[in-house]
Amino acid sequence: MDVLLFPASHPWLTLLALATVLALIFYRRTLRLFGFVIVPDDSIGTVTKKFVLWGRHRELPPGRIVALFGEAGLQADTLAPGLHLGLWPWQYQVDLVKFTVVPDDAIGVVEACDGLPLPDGRVLARPVDCDNFQDARAFLASGERGLQMSVVPPGAWRINTLLFTVRLERMTVIEPGKIGIVEARDGRPLTGGRVIGRAVACDSFQDARAFMAGGGERGPQMSVIPQGKYRIHPGLFRVAQVPVTDVPDNKVGIVTTREGASLATGEIAGPELPGHNVFQDPQAFVDAGGTKGLQEQVLLAGRYFINPMFATVEIIDMTEVPIASVGVVVAFVGKPGEDVTGEGFRHANMVRRGEKGVWVDVLDPGKYAINTYTHKVRVVPTANVVLNWATGKTEAHKLDANLSTITVRSADGFTFNLDVSQIIHIPRNDAPKVIARFGSMEALVTQVLEPTIGNYFRNAAQNSDVIDFLKKRSERQAEAKAAIALALKAYDVGAVETLIGDIVPPAELMKTLTDRKLAEQEKVTFTTQMEAQGVRQQLEQATALARTQAQVVDAERQVAIAEFSAQAAVKTADGAARSKKITA
C-alpha cells in the first residue's frame, strides 16, 4: 500500500494521513470479517476456496488443480474491481493482484499450470479463444497446459495468476542492414529430404496460430524478417540476425541453393527462372521448379535479402575483356545448340548465344556479369601479337613465356642458335574458331606456333651451311615469312611478319672465321704497306731530285755558257786567222 509523505512543518497533516490509513485498514478488515471484499480499480482478486460444506463438487477431478464448479482449491474465476459479498474469510482466501501490464516494447509469454495434456511431440499448447487469457473458464474448457502458443500483446490485462504465469519478453528488433532468419521449434516435420521449412503466411512469424494452421514446419524457415520490430514468440521461434547480402560495384554474386529439385543428369547448374525476386523469395523459387545447387543466374551490384539457410552467395569480380581483344564464351549450360560453323569448319561446333558450347558471337571490350562456374570467357587479342623464340625475352601477354631460342643444325654439321620473333593476328570473327579448335591462346602457341616455326627453321638450316645461312639471312627471313603464313592460314591465324633476330654460330667456326678474317685483314695490311713503301720511294726520289735541281740548272747554264764561250773563242780565233790571212 502506498504511504503518503508530508512536510515536517505540518505535523497535523501527517497525523491526519496516518489516521485515515488506519481507518481504511480497519474498515477493510472489518468488512472482510463480514464477507465483504473491495478490489481496487487496478487489481483483481484471486480466490482460493479452503473447503466445501456440501454438494457433489467437493473435490477436483483427477489431474486438475484449478476449480471450475466451486470445488475446493484454486478458483478459475477472479474478482473484478469493486465490492464483493459472501466471501467469508474462514472459507475463502482472496489475494489482491495488480493487473498484468505488458509494455509497448514487449510481449507476454504465457504458461498455464492446468489444462489438457500436450499431445506427443508438441512443444507449445495450441491457441484457444480466451480473451487473451482473461477468461480462465474458456481456456480450461479446451486449453492445454504448458507453454502457450499465443502471447499477450501490450496493455493491461486481468489475468488469473493462479492459472497463468506471464513472463515479459522484449520485442524482436531487426537492426538496419540485417535480416532475421528463423528456426521453428514446433510444427510439422520436414519430409522428402528437405532441409528448410516452406513459407507460411503468418505476419512475419508474429501469428503463431496462422503458422501452425497453415502447415508450418519445424526447423529452419524459408522466409526472412526485414528490418523492424516484431512480436514474435521466443518459445516457438528462434530468430538470429545476419547481415544482408551486398554485392559491390564491379562484382557479381554466384548463388548456390540448398533447397529445390535435384539437377538433371549431365547438368552442373540450375537454369534461370523468373518470379522469385532474385532468390529473395525461396518459396516461389521452389514452386517454379528451381533446383538445389549451383545456379546459372548471378546477382548484380546491389543489396539483397537472401536467406543464408536457403542459399549462399559468393562474391567474385566481373569478367573484363581488355581493349584490342574479344571474349569468346564457352558455355557449360543451356540447351543443346545447332552447329553454325558450316561445312568449311569441321574441328568443333559453334553455337548461338545462350546455347551450350562455344558461342559464335564474341564479347567486345568491356565488363560483363558472367558466372565463371557455368561460362568460361577466353580472351583473344585482336591486335598484332609478338611471340619471341628467345630465351629470357617475354612480352607482357606472357604467351611466349615458355618459348626459348631455337637450336638448329646446318648441312655442314654445325649446331647453332637463332632468335626468332613471329607477329600474328587473329581477326575478330575468327577468334571463336581458334578457341573452338584449341581451347585457349596458350594451346594455340604450344600446339601450332611452337612446332611450326621451330621445325621450319630446323629444316631450313639443314639445307644450308652456316656461312651461307648467315650470308643469306634476309632471303631466309622472306622465305620463312611466306612458308609460315601459309601454314598458319589453315588454323585461321594470320602471319604478319617473321623476323630472324640474333644468330649465334658455333664457337669453333667463329674462331676459324675470325682467324681467316684476321689473315685477310693482315694481307690487306701488308699490301697496303708495300704500296706505301713504293710511294715513299717515289717520294724520296722526287725529294732528292728537287734538292739537286738548282745545281743541275746551274751546271746546264755553265755548260751552255762554256759552249757559248768556246764558240766565241772559235769565232774569235777564226776572225784572227782570217785577219792574219788577210793581212798576210
Side-chain angles (χ1 to χ4, degrees), residues 179-230:
I179 56 174
I181 55 175
V182 181
E183 184 175 357
R185 298 179 56 200
D186 204 349
R188 297 178 181 179
L190 291 171
T191 58
R194 293 174 44 231
V195 297
I196 191 168
R198 66 184 185 87
V200 176
C202 56
D203 191 20
S204 296
F205 301 98
Q206 297 181 104
D207 191 342
R209 177 181 296 188
F211 176 82
M212 298 299 293
E217 299 165 326
R218 68 183 62 187
Q221 302 296 304
M222 284 187 178
S223 301
V224 299
I225 305 173
Q227 173 189 344
K229 294 183 178 181
Y230 302 88

Side-chain angles (χ1 to χ4, degrees), residues 212-438:
M212 298 299 293
E217 299 165 326
R218 68 183 62 187
Q221 302 296 304
M222 284 187 178
S223 301
V224 299
I225 305 173
Q227 173 189 344
K229 294 183 178 181
Y230 302 88
R231 298 186 177 101
I232 297 176
H233 196 314
L236 176 57
F237 301 110
R238 186 177 68 87
V239 181
Q241 297 192 56
V242 297
V244 298
T245 300
D246 284 320
V247 179
D249 293 337
N250 298 319
K251 302 281 185 178
V252 293
I254 306 298
V255 180
T256 303
T257 60
R258 300 178 58 204
E259 189 64 278
S262 299
L263 283 171
T265 303
E267 296 294 337
I268 64 170
E272 292 192 23
L273 297 173
H276 54 80
N277 194 19
V278 200
F279 304 100
Q280 297 179 103
D281 188 345
Q283 190 63 56
F285 173 83
V286 173
D287 293 343
T291 58
K292 65 181 66 177
L294 179 66
Q295 301 298 309
E296 179 181 352
Q297 183 178 0
V298 299
L299 304 180
L300 302 180
R303 170 163 287 189
Y304 300 88
F305 300 96
I306 294 180
N307 189 340
M309 294 191 293
F310 164 71
T312 58
V313 180
E314 177 186 358
I315 307 298
I316 64 172
D317 293 327
M318 295 184 72
T319 299
E320 182 176 0
V321 179
I323 297 176
S325 302
V326 294
V328 179
V329 180
V330 182
F332 305 129
V333 296
K335 64 180 182 179
E338 180 181 354
D339 181 29
V340 296
T341 56
E343 293 295 327
F345 188 81
R346 299 178 178 270
H347 304 280
N349 292 342
M350 290 189 292
V351 297
R352 295 179 179 86
R353 184 185 294 263
E355 299 174 340
K356 184 183 294 186
V358 179
W359 291 359
V360 70
D361 295 328
V362 299
L363 303 179
D364 290 314
K367 290 186 176 182
Y368 298 87
I370 300 290
N371 188 332
T372 55
Y373 293 103
T374 60
H375 298 76
K376 291 295 183 184
V377 178
R378 302 297 187 185
V379 176
V380 178
T382 54
N384 289 348
V385 177
V386 179
L387 301 170
N388 298 303
W389 276 258
T391 302
K393 185 178 181 181
T394 304
E395 299 293 332
H397 49 64
K398 302 296 182 182
L399 293 174
D400 54 358
N402 296 324
L403 301 179
S404 59
T405 299
I406 301 174
T407 301
V408 300
R409 185 181 297 276
S410 64
D412 49 359
F414 287 102
T415 299
F416 62 97
N417 298 328
L418 70 154
D419 294 342
V420 176
S421 294
Q422 178 65 50
I423 304 175
I424 64 172
H425 173 255
I426 300 175
R428 176 184 183 276
N429 294 333
D430 287 337
K433 296 180 181 179
V434 173
I435 297 302
R437 189 194 303 262
F438 300 105

Side-chain angles (χ1 to χ4, degrees), residues 466-536:
V466 178
I467 303 303
D468 185 64
F469 194 94
L470 290 172
K471 290 181 178 180
K472 297 180 179 180
R473 171 176 176 164
S474 59
E475 297 178 11
R476 300 294 183 190
Q477 184 168 286
E479 294 172 356
K481 176 182 177 181
I484 292 173
L486 182 61
L488 296 184
K489 185 178 180 180
Y491 300 100
D492 302 298
V493 177
V496 179
E497 191 64 76
T498 302
L499 303 173
I500 299 177
D502 190 19
I503 301 177
V504 184
E508 59 271 22
L509 179 61
M510 287 300 296
K511 185 176 186 306
T512 302
L513 292 176
T514 302
D515 292 343
R516 181 184 301 175
K517 193 67 176 178
L518 289 175
E520 292 176 355
Q521 293 299 322
E522 288 181 355
K523 181 179 178 180
V524 171
T525 302
F526 293 155
T527 302
T528 304
Q529 289 178 349
M530 291 178 61
E531 292 176 353
Q533 290 298 332
V535 172
R536 180 180 296 177

Side-chain angles (χ1 to χ4, degrees), residues 533-550 552:
Q533 290 298 332
V535 172
R536 180 180 296 177
Q537 184 178 4
Q538 294 176 1
L539 177 62
E540 291 294 338
Q541 292 177 352
T543 302
L545 180 62
R547 290 175 180 174
T548 60
Q549 189 65 35
V552 171

